[in-house]
Amino acid sequence: MVLDLNQSETDVPGEQAPERATGTPYPAPLRPYLIAAAVLCALYFLYAYLRYSHFQSPSWDLGIFEQEVRAYAGFDAPVVDIKGPGYLILGDHFSPLVALLVPLYWIWPSAVALIFAQAALFAASAVIVGRTAQQILGGRTGLCVTVAYGLSWGLQEAVKADFHEIALAVPLLALVCRALLMERWRAAVLWSLPLVLVKEDLGVTVAVAGGLLALYGRRLQGFMLAAFGVSAFALTVLVLIPAASSAGSYDYWKKIEENGGQEVPLLDSVLGVFDSSVKLEMLVFLVGITAFMALRSPLILLVLPTLGWRLLSQDSNHWGMVWHYSAILMPVVFLAMADGIRRSRGSKRPWLVSYANVAVPVATAIAVALTQHLPLRDLLRPETYRADARTHAAEEALEAIPVGARVETDITLMAHLTGDRTVYWVGGAPGTAPDVIAINLDFGWSRPIDDPVKYAGQLHPEARYRITREAGSFVVMERTAPAPENS
């Protein structure tokens, strides 16, 4: 990576970067960015809601986070039964900052509230990124950056993946990067601190932010912040998470140490960092969406902790451009792009100056062009808005499940049940004899389920079940025998 740490090039006075000479940023009226954010929020929410309403959730995560927020909203310990009966979610990932969503959940007790919260948080980050770009670059660059950022593949794929705790980190990282670029050192420290409560691995990112502060000359603040980040990471993964986990350990070490149950030496993990075209593609597109100008800024160092564990992981889900893992990298690379352009405008190399002057339109064009292959393109298709027979069948199945029941189910219905039922993952609650077992026969089982009642008996031999509703591929079964005393 080409990191230009030499400030002499960027301090050359010139008409294109007067803020470096005068110390004052370009004006950036807030109203246009709020309008752009409202549009982006509407697009994100519409897309995610349509997927939710059509029962297209890609994983169990939305249900998991609703159970967590629902517990906080009731002033209870964050028990997530989807992960296992009585499972304390802080023993999985350390994300207590999710509790900030409780006031919204009190008003709107539904998984849809979490989808909306994520859309709003992503849109808010677009305001921060766009306005910061305009304040340091001037002209009409800010709104172009807002569009490029708002359509970036990292955010679109995160919207497609339902809600995740990283939604809280995206605007925080945008504020950290903004503070560093605007030389607001105290703000950079203060916005960094809450990141350790979003997810445990972000403590290392906070440490890198401290390193950047030291690099920019704020050594004491930088070293203290770096020490805090490293300490927070060590505390959460070595003490807090194991203490809350029934296994007494941090399970995600296994993502690096094991592959298919086979132990992988750390050296092999390190040597295999770039052993997949999927990884390389992700890295190219990560900096490519910024017209490669992000590589001109030291801010790009903030992506290394997240990229590090993802590339070391043996789980191929972590490597590519799908899911939510790249969302937290988007504010970093786009504000690094803005910084890279600012630095390049003062370069003594004419070709670099010329390229810097067109980099924002190039990045915007890349974002718009890529969108035809990304989730939001579906909003232009009429079939996206139509409920098909599968959707109607799923709705019928939901109606057959009593409110307040204990339900064992698969991903298809899960997030629609967690708001007012106790929900377990199918096969993940042995000995509980739930009131209802509801399954989608087309879910994609490793072995087809030909006899649902027999399958229910295999899950819970201590109970008996009968079919009460069949709708399309959905089967709802209620328990007929009494539940065991320990259920």
Side-chain angles (χ1 to χ4, degrees), residues 32-294:
Y33 294 95
L34 292 179
I35 295 172
V39 172
L40 287 171
C41 181
L43 292 175
Y44 298 151
F45 178 69
L46 176 61
Y47 177 84
Y49 177 75
L50 287 170
R51 285 179 59 83
Y52 171 84
S53 63
H54 293 169
F55 298 87
Q56 295 173 343
S57 291
S59 74
W60 62 358
D61 290 326
L62 181 58
I64 285 174
F65 283 107
E66 185 181 6
Q67 284 191 336
E68 180 178 2
V69 175
R70 181 185 177 190
Y72 285 131
F75 300 100
D76 296 321
V79 169
V80 174
D81 291 310
I82 290 172
K83 295 280 290 185
Y87 188 95
L88 188 62
I89 196 63
L90 295 180
D92 183 54
H93 285 304
F94 191 74
S95 306
L97 209 65
V98 169
L100 291 178
L101 300 178
V102 164
L104 175 62
Y105 194 80
W106 282 336
I107 299 169
W108 193 358
S110 167
V112 180
L114 305 189
I115 291 172
F116 175 78
Q118 178 167 273
L121 288 165
F122 285 174
S125 71
V127 174
I128 300 166
V129 170
R131 286 194 75 230
T132 303
Q134 180 154 339
Q135 287 177 311
I136 67 175
L137 297 179
R140 300 177 181 176
T141 56
L143 286 176
C144 289
V145 171
T146 302
V147 170
Y149 171 80
L151 296 179
S152 62
W153 58 266
L155 294 186
Q156 290 200 47
E157 291 294 345
V159 169
K160 183 178 180 180
D162 288 337
F163 176 86
H164 289 86
E165 75 282 275
I166 54 87
L168 296 162
V170 172
L172 284 173
L173 278 166
L175 288 165
V176 170
C177 292
R178 171 183 170 82
L180 289 172
L181 294 181
M182 305 294 285
E183 299 183 358
R184 297 170 183 171
W185 313 122
R186 182 180 298 178
V189 172
L190 294 177
W191 288 121
S192 295
L193 299 180
L195 286 169
V196 302
L197 301 178
V198 176
K199 198 175 178 187
E200 63 279 358
D201 63 288
L202 289 174
V204 185
T205 301
V206 170
V208 174
L212 286 173
L213 274 172
L215 183 66
Y216 291 141
R218 311 296 293 191
R219 288 187 173 82
L220 178 60
Q221 288 172 299
F223 292 147
M224 290 181 66
L225 183 61
F228 170 79
V230 171
S231 300
F233 172 73
L235 178 65
T236 52
V237 301
L238 299 178
V239 179
L240 298 181
I241 291 178
S245 170
S246 58
S249 62
Y250 180 54
D251 288 343
Y252 290 90
W253 291 127
K254 295 179 182 177
K255 295 290 185 179
I256 297 174
E257 297 171 347
E258 296 181 7
N259 185 2
Q262 299 293 320
E263 185 175 345
V264 178
L266 180 59
L267 179 60
D268 289 350
S269 295
V270 173
L271 294 177
V273 163
F274 301 113
D275 64 351
S276 168
S277 60
V278 176
K279 297 178 181 179
L280 295 175
E281 178 188 66
M282 183 269 292
L283 292 173
V284 170
F285 276 89
L286 180 65
V287 290
I289 56 174
T290 69
F292 297 97
M293 290 303 296

Side-chain angles (χ1 to χ4, degrees), residues 1-6 9-10 287 290-301 304 336-337 339-341 343-344 347 349 351-352:
M1 290 187 291
V2 184
L3 296 178
D4 189 354
L5 302 182
N6 187 343
E9 277 195 350
T10 64
V287 290
T290 69
F292 297 97
M293 290 303 296
L295 296 174
R296 293 277 297 168
S297 170
L299 281 185
I300 197 67
L301 294 172
L304 295 182
M337 175 188 73
D339 186 37
I341 292 171
R343 291 167 176 270
S344 299
S347 175
R349 290 164 279 186
W351 68 268
L352 185 55

